[in-house]
Amino acid sequence: MELGFAAGIAAIVLLGVLGQLLGHAARVPSIIVLLVLGLLAGPVLGWVDPDALLGDALFPLVSMAVGLLLFEESLKLDFSRLHGGARRPVLGLVTTGAVVTGICTTLLAQWVFDLPLSRAAVIGAILIVSGPTVVGPLLAVIRPKQPLESVLAFEGIFIDPIGATVALSMVHLALHSSGVGLGTTAVVGILTGLVAAAAYLAVVRFGRAPAATHVALGVAVALAAFAVAESVGEESGLWATTALGVALANQPWVRLEALHEFGSHVGMLLIGSLFIVLSARIDLDALVRYLPATLVLLAFLVLGVRPLAAGLATVRTVLSRRERAMVAWMAPRGIVAASTASVFALQFEDAGKPFPALVPIVFGVVLFTAIVYGSTGPLVARLLGVRATELEPIDDDGVPSSHASRRAE
C-alpha cells in the first residue's frame, strides 16, 4: 500500500532517524540498517515511491540535499585538525591513494562490467570516497592506537569531497564527450562558493548574528550558493557548496563552533532521509542482476586495490608495518558514494543517456564493504595488535576529542 504525500514524507524522515538510532544501538554502520529499511519501504512493501511522491521535484531536491551533504562534509576539512605523525599518511591517502584507487577501480569496472571507459571512470571516481558516517562507528568499536585512529578518521573526512569532486568531473566528461565547459563549470561553482563564504562571514562578524542563528544561516547560504551556481552554470552547484564548506573551515576570522552542530542535527536528518529515498528507488532486479559482477569488483577492491593504494600512500611514514596493514584493511564506502551515484544517475537520465548499472553497482559496493569491514575490522585489529589499551574519547567522526579541544583553543 503506497502512502500519501504527507504520510510518505513522514515515513522517510522517521525511518531515516530510526535507522541511525538502530545502527548506533547495535554498534553496526547505520548505512546497512538504512539500506534495509529503504528497500523494505520501497521495492519490497511498496510504501514509499519517491518518483511518484516527489515527481519532477525529485532530481532538484536530491541534488540540493547532496549539495548540503557535501557542505557539511567540507566543513570538516580544517587542515589545522591534523597533528603530529598523522598529517603525512593522511595526505598520502587522499592524494596518491586516491589516484591509485580511482585508476585501478576504473580499469576493473571497465573489465568486469564491460563498460565504456568514460562510464567506468564515473564508478572509479565515486568509489574513491570512504566516509566518516561509516568509518566513525567502526573506529568506535575497533579503537585503534594513535596515530592510526586519527589517520583513518581524517582520511574518511577529507576524501569525501575530493572523491565527489573528481566524480563530478568524470560525469561531465561522460555526458559531454569532452572537457569543454568543465573548467567553466568548476570556476563558476568555486567562485560562487567563495563569494557565499565571504557573505556568511560578513554577516556573522559585522552583523553580529547570534550564535544560535549560525546553523540556520549556514544552511540558507549553502542552498542559495547551490541555486545561484546552478542558474549560472549547470552542474556547478556541488562545486559551490564544497568550496563554501572548505573556505569556512579554513578561515581564521570567525569561530564556527555553532555551525559544526550542522552535522549532528540537520546532518542526521539529511543523511537518513536521503538514504531512505535513494534506497527506496533501487531496482531489486537490477541489484540482483549486477550482484555477481559487483562481488568480483568488491574482491579486487578489498584484496588488491586498497592494499596497493594504502601501501604506496603510507610508505616512509610514522606508521608501523602492522598499522599500515590495518590501514590496508579499512576502506568502507558511505552515504556520499551512494548519494552522488544516485544524483549522477539522475543526471544521465535527464540528459537522455541512462546509466542503469551505476546505482546497483555502487550500492552493492557500499553495502558489502560495510559488511566486510564492519564484521572483520575488530578481529583484524586484535590480530595485528593495534588496538589501544587506554580508551580515548572520540567524536562521531572517529576523531579523538583532544583534537577538537586543541582546535577550539
Side-chain angles (χ1 to χ4, degrees), residues 61-82:
L61 284 176
V62 171
S63 295
M64 293 183 79
V66 173
L68 278 179
L69 185 62
L70 290 180
F71 170 59
E72 188 265 331
E73 293 294 317
S74 299
L75 283 171
K76 301 169 184 173
L77 289 179
D78 179 358
F79 294 100
S80 68
R81 297 175 73 189
L82 274 175

Side-chain angles (χ1 to χ4, degrees), residues 4 39 45 124 145 170 200 225 255 307 317 336 341 346 349 380:
L39 289 173
L45 299 176
K145 299 176 181 178
M170 294 302 101
Y200 177 89
R255 296 170 64 90
T317 65
V336 171
L346 289 171
E349 291 176 17
V380 172

